[in-house]
C-alpha cells in the first residue's frame, strides 16, 4: 500500500481567502491508474451543507482507494472530491452561507462572477475531461428513499451505462429550464457521461444505505474496467419517468406513521400508512396504495401537513 500513497495525489481544487475565518480550501484525491487507455471517473460528494450521507460515501471511497484495493487493480484515473461547500457544512446550512445560493445552480461557472460562480468554474475545470462523472445528491424534499440514479434526458445521456450501477431504479427525467445550470447537465454537455445518485433526505448515517451506494459505484467502475474489483451483480434497473410515478398526498395534517418502507412492493388498496390526530390521538386517515408497485420514497417527518406528499409509488405495468 506504500505505492498507493505515492500514486494518490491530494490536489487543491480552489482556495478562497476570508477576512474573518480560515480560507475555503477544496481538495480532491486523485488516484492515478496504471493503464493510460482506461476510462477515467470523477466523483463529487457533498455540494450542499446538509449532505452528510454524500460526504460519508465519498470519504469512504477515499479510504477504499487508499487502503483497501491493490494499486495494480486501479486501471483508470479516479478523482474524488468529498466536499465543496465547507462553510455551509460547518454551520449545518444547506446553501452557500453568505448569499444563500445553490452551488448546483451555478455551472459551468464564471471566473469573473459571484463567489459561487467562481467556485463552480474552478470545480468544473478540475473535473472536465473525465469519461464518467458521478454526483452524490441528497433529496431536497423531506423524503426517505431508496438510492437511485437520476438521469436527465439531455440528448447526451448514457442510459445503458446507468444500468451498470445495479440500482433498483433509474429516474430518466425531462430537463427543466432550471436544470441547464446544474452540474449533471453541463457535464453531459461537455462530453462526460454524468449521473446523479440520489440519497435519502436524512442526515443520520445508515451504513447499510451507504454500502449499497458505494457498492453500486464500485460495480459501475468494475464493469467499465476503471478498476478490477468484482462484486455481486446488482438489480436489473427499472427505468421510470414522471408518468410511471403515482403521488400519494395527505388530505389531513397530523402525526404521520408509515407502515411500509422505501423499496417495499405493495398491492392496490394495501394499507401503507396512517395519520393520527396530533391532539386527540384518534385515527383520521388511512393511506391505501393506489396501484400495484414499489414505494420509492415516503415522507420522512413525523408531523405531516395537509397536501404534503406522503408516498411516491412506481407503478407496475
Amino acid at each position: 500500500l506504500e505505492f498507493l500513497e505515492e500514486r494518490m495525489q491530494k490536489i487543491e481544487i480552489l482556495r478562497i481567502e476570508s477576512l474573518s475565518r480560515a480560507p475555503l480550501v477544496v481538495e480532491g484525491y486523485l488516484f492515478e491508474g496504471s493503464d493510460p487507455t482506461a476510462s477515467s471517473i470523477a466523483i463529487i460528494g457533498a455540494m450542499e451543507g446538509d449532505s452528510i450521507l454524500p460526504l460519508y460515501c465519498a470519504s469512504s471511497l477515499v479510504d477504499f482507494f487508499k487502503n483497501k484495493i491493490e494499486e495494480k487493480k486501479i486501471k483508470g484515473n479516479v478523482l474524488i472530491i468529498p466536499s465543496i461547500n465547507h462553510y455551509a457544512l460547518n454551520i449545518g446550512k444547506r446553501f452557500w452561507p453568505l448569499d444563500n445560493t445553490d452551488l448546483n445552480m451555478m455551472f459551468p461557472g464564471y471566473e469573473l462572477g459571484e463567489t459561487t460562480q467562481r467556485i463552480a468554474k474552478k470545480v468544473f475545470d478540475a473535473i472536465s475531461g473525465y469519461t464518467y462523472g458521478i454526483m452524490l445528491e441528497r433529496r431536497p424534499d423531506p423524503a426517505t428513499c431508496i438510492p437511485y440514479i437520476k438521469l436527465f434526458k439531455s440528448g447526451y445521456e448514457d442510459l445503458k451505462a446507468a444500468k451498470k450501477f445495479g440500482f433498483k431504479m433509474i429516474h430518466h427525467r425531462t430537463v427543466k429550464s432550471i436544470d441547464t445550470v446544474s452540474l449533471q447537465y453541463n457535464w453531459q454537455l461537455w462530453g462526460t457521461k454524468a449521473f446523479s445518485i440520489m440519497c435519502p433526505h436524512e442526515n443520520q448515517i445508515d451504513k447499510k444505505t451507504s454500502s449499497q451506494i458505494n457498492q453500486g459505484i464500485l460495480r459501475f467502475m468494475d464493469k467499465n474496467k476503471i478498476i478490477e474489483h468484482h462484486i455481486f451483480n446488482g438489480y436489473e434497473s427499472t427505468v421510470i419517468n414522471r408518468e410511471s410515478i403515482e403521488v400519494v398526498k395527505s388530505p389531513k395534517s397530523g402525526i404521520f406513521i408509515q407502515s411500509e418502507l422505501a423499496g417495499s412492493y405493495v398491492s392496490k388498496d394495501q394499507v401503507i400508512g396512517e395519520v393520527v390526530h396530533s391532539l386527540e390521538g384518534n385515527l383520521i386517515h388511512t393511506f391505501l396504495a393506489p396501484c400495484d408497485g414499489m414505494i420509492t420514497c415516503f415522507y420522512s417527518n413525523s408531523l405531516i401537513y395537509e397536501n404534503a406528499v406522503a408516498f411516491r409509488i412506481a407503478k407496475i405495468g
Side-chain angles (χ1 to χ4, degrees), residues 48 94 137-145 148 198-201 296-297 312:
E48 298 162 338
R94 184 180 177 198
E137 290 190 50
R138 175 183 183 259
R139 279 187 66 105
D141 56 338
T144 296
C145 67
Y148 66 93
M198 301 306 295
C199 305
H201 180 273
T296 61
C297 67
R312 287 185 172 88

Side-chain angles (χ1 to χ4, degrees), residues 40-71:
S40 58
I41 191 166
I43 301 168
I44 303 292
M47 198 180 302
E48 298 162 338
D50 56 0
S51 298
I52 308 302
L53 184 58
L55 175 67
Y56 178 74
C57 289
S59 64
S60 298
L61 286 172
V62 172
D63 177 63
F64 173 83
F65 280 98
K66 281 181 65 176
N67 302 311
K68 297 173 183 174
I69 185 172
E70 297 176 42
E71 54 86 16

Side-chain angles (χ1 to χ4, degrees), residues 2-255:
E2 291 180 4
F3 188 72
L4 264 186
E5 292 291 342
E6 295 175 6
R7 277 206 178 257
M8 187 196 82
Q9 299 178 41
K10 192 175 182 181
I11 58 177
E12 186 174 295
I13 307 295
L14 65 93
R15 176 183 291 266
I16 296 177
E17 300 297 331
S18 171
L19 293 174
S20 58
R21 63 187 304 166
L24 171 70
V25 181
V26 175
E27 295 173 315
Y29 297 83
L30 177 62
F31 299 89
E32 294 184 2
S34 58
D35 182 357
T37 66
S39 297
S40 58
I41 191 166
I43 301 168
I44 303 292
M47 198 180 302
E48 298 162 338
D50 56 0
S51 298
I52 308 302
L53 184 58
L55 175 67
Y56 178 74
C57 289
S59 64
S60 298
L61 286 172
V62 172
D63 177 63
F64 173 83
F65 280 98
K66 281 181 65 176
N67 302 311
K68 297 173 183 174
I69 185 172
E70 297 176 42
E71 54 86 16
K72 65 181 181 181
K73 293 187 176 182
I74 304 175
K75 302 301 182 182
N77 287 352
V78 179
L79 173 65
I80 304 170
I81 306 177
S83 168
I84 296 173
N85 198 346
H86 305 340
Y87 284 178
L89 272 167
N90 286 340
I91 62 174
K93 188 176 175 63
R94 184 180 177 198
F95 296 134
W96 181 249
L98 302 182
D99 60 7
N100 207 37
T101 51
D102 185 352
L103 271 171
N104 197 26
M105 294 289 106
M106 293 293 161
F107 288 93
Y110 177 47
E111 61 189 354
L112 300 178
E114 298 295 331
T115 304
T116 44
Q117 291 177 303
R118 297 182 185 212
I119 293 172
K121 178 68 167 66
K122 287 283 190 180
V123 171
F124 198 69
D125 286 348
I127 61 178
S128 293
Y130 283 81
T131 315
Y132 299 102
I134 297 173
M135 284 179 62
L136 290 158
E137 290 190 50
R138 175 183 183 259
R139 279 187 66 105
D141 56 338
T144 296
C145 67
I146 57 171
Y148 66 93
I149 298 294
K150 179 181 77 176
L151 187 63
F152 291 141
K153 294 180 180 179
S154 64
Y156 302 96
E157 77 274 22
D158 190 337
L159 186 58
K160 183 177 179 182
K163 295 181 179 181
K164 293 181 180 180
F165 287 95
F167 290 131
K168 280 188 176 183
M169 185 178 83
I170 299 169
H171 186 192
H172 196 201
R173 51 162 287 195
T174 303
V175 176
K176 301 176 183 177
S177 57
I178 196 172
D179 296 324
T180 59
V181 289
S182 69
L183 174 54
Q184 185 192 138
Y185 181 86
N186 282 277
W187 234 351
Q188 291 179 358
L189 198 64
W190 291 93
T192 293
K193 297 176 181 179
F195 314 90
S196 293
I197 298 177
M198 301 306 295
C199 305
H201 180 273
E202 294 86 352
N203 278 332
Q204 296 296 320
I205 298 302
D206 178 351
K207 286 197 171 183
K208 180 179 178 181
T209 301
S210 63
S211 177
Q212 289 175 353
I213 291 168
N214 282 2
Q215 283 179 30
I217 294 172
L218 295 175
R219 183 182 298 115
F220 177 87
M221 294 170 71
D222 177 60
K223 287 181 179 292
N224 285 293
K225 303 187 187 309
I226 301 170
I227 61 173
E228 289 182 357
H229 183 72
H230 304 308
I231 60 176
F232 286 110
N233 285 327
Y235 295 95
E236 185 176 343
S237 303
T238 299
V239 180
I240 66 168
N241 54 34
R242 179 63 186 83
E243 291 70 36
S244 308
I245 295 290
E246 192 77 36
V247 176
V248 181
K249 294 185 177 182
S250 178
K252 305 280 187 179
S253 60
I255 297 172

Side-chain angles (χ1 to χ4, degrees), residues 244-246 248 266 272 289-291 293-295 311-315:
S244 308
I245 295 290
E246 192 77 36
V248 181
V266 295
I272 55 177
C291 60
M294 182 186 70
I295 295 175
F311 297 92
R312 287 185 172 88
I313 300 175
K315 293 182 283 190

